[in-house]
Amino acid sequence: MDNMNLNKHISGQFNAELESVRNQVLVMGGLVEQQLTDAIAAIHGQDLEAARKIVANDHKVNAMEVAIDEECTRIIAKRQPAASDLRLVMAIIKTITDLERIGDVADKIARMLTDNANKPQPPLVSLENMGRRTIKMLHDVLDAFARMDLEAAITVYKEDDKVDREYESIIRELMTYMMEDPRTIPQVLNVLWAARAIERVGDRCQHICEYIIYFVKGKDVRHTKVDEINDLLGKP
Amino acid sequence: MDNMNLNKHISGQFNAELESVRNQVLVMGGLVEQQLTDAIAAIHGQDLEAARKIVANDHKVNAMEVAIDEECTRIIAKRQPAASDLRLVMAIIKTITDLERIGDVADKIARMLTDNANKPQPPLVSLENMGRRTIKMLHDVLDAFARMDLEAAITVYKEDDKVDREYESIIRELMTYMMEDPRTIPQVLNVLWAARAIERVGDRCQHICEYIIYFVKGKDVRHTKVDEINDLLGKP
């Protein structure tokens, strides 16, 4: 049902262009998901080689953002989309900004690992767990985006609560660690920044959920409470 | 010269709509600037009443973002802008996202102050200095936006270097403070988050500079080096 509008242009160049730009978003999303997955795996293995590869790859994500953005502006100028087509293009323009920032998080984790190399390590297990949860969120929101699936988007949206709780607990853990051994403060701060960045991935996945809701429902739900977003499912 | 395209629609409803939405951005920018100014002033005076007012006002900034965004989408659908008109609308859509996030920074500083109330305070003087520098950047970039002034935008862009250096020095200062008295770690972390948030204001002002450059030059300079941005001034 939610795909109805996506299938409206049953033929023609415009349809092909919209499909192509949608696919580019999914390719970009796939790359960002890979970068984040590699970064979280690198935490586990303390893998500096992998970390350096992630940093080197970040420019690809940036280039995709710029290319997709340009293509969207071109489509608006040339095709003058209206209604749900325009909402799709607007949703894409916003989604790629958040995807690019999630790419930056992978880059930041990788830099944290190289900065902290060969220094006493604070516990990183909880960071990995939170990281894996955000990878799952990103994966699921890209899936919801591919199908413009309202229900799936709302499910992902609500997941962020768990990320926030894990984040709070990591901060407490790292705070205790610093208090017990103040010499580790510089390294622990690096880990704190990485934790903060990972927590932001959850927020950014929520943003993408909001754009999906905007596309499907034509309603801007940014800055709305989770209850109201939940209500959208009940209202056809 | 840079205003050339702004004056193209010498009459008509379309012109009025573009002007109106541009003005709304400046009003939103003014409110955000006020919120940030109040937040930095509240740091100085440890003013909890002011801090609470900032938190209570944040929803106004959010509402303006949503309203301007809606208006821009409406203009695209109804007026089918092309060339520099479309670039203006796209620049506005992106600018308001960054303005809203700067509003969040004011909110975050205010919350830091209330969280840390009546607890031993780490030095906040450097935070204020950095804060004042970012207020100046925000003020100047809004000014550049109002006139779509390429040269002014590039000047603001380059200011962020100083913010970054101040930020590094604040982090070192706060790190020393924590190491000397680990009991203060929880409060200092609150200050660290605020410092980080203020540092991000500089980045967000840079983003707005990039949108101004995009409007004036039709060139997407995100993820480009400062040298290349500088070169734009030389090339008519």
Side-chain angles (χ1 to χ4, degrees), chain A residues 62-63 65-66 69-70 72-74 76-77 80-83 86-87 90 93-94 97-98 100-101 108 167 171 175 178-179 182-186 189 192-193 196 200 204 207 211 214 220 222-223, chain B residues 62-63 65-66 69-70 72-74 76-77 80-83 86-87 90 93-94 97-98 100-101 108 167 171 175 178-179 182-186 189 192-193 196 200 204 207 211 214 220 222-223:
Chain A
N62 298 345
E65 181 196 16
V66 171
D69 210 19
E70 203 175 296
C72 285
T73 313
R74 208 192 54 78
I76 293 176
Q80 304 169 343
L86 180 53
R87 289 208 305 278
M90 299 314 263
I93 288 175
K94 290 175 185 200
T97 306
D98 284 291
E100 191 271 329
R101 299 286 157 78
K108 184 170 289 179
Y167 171 71
I171 298 299
M175 218 139 56
M178 284 193 279
M179 285 167 140
R183 287 166 308 168
T184 62
I185 287 176
L189 280 188
L192 265 173
W193 300 134
R196 181 74 161 196
R200 294 290 294 151
R204 296 197 174 279
H207 294 165
Y211 310 142
Y214 166 74
D220 190 336
R222 288 176 296 180
H223 318 299
Chain B
N62 298 345
E65 181 197 14
V66 171
D69 209 19
E70 204 175 296
C72 285
T73 312
R74 209 192 53 78
I76 293 176
Q80 305 171 341
L86 180 55
R87 289 207 306 277
M90 299 314 264
I93 289 175
K94 290 175 187 202
T97 307
D98 284 291
E100 191 271 329
R101 300 285 157 76
K108 184 169 288 179
Y167 171 70
I171 297 299
M175 217 140 57
M178 286 194 277
M179 284 167 139
R183 287 164 309 169
T184 62
I185 287 176
L189 280 189
L192 264 173
W193 299 135
R196 180 73 161 199
R200 293 290 293 149
R204 295 196 176 280
H207 294 165
Y211 310 143
Y214 166 73
D220 190 337
R222 288 177 296 181
H223 319 299

Side-chain angles (χ1 to χ4, degrees), chain A residues 4 21 85 91 94 104 110 145 161 196 233:
Chain A
M4 204 170 54
V21 80
D85 295 332
K94 290 175 185 200
D104 286 345
F145 185 92
D161 245 14
R196 181 74 161 196
L233 275 181

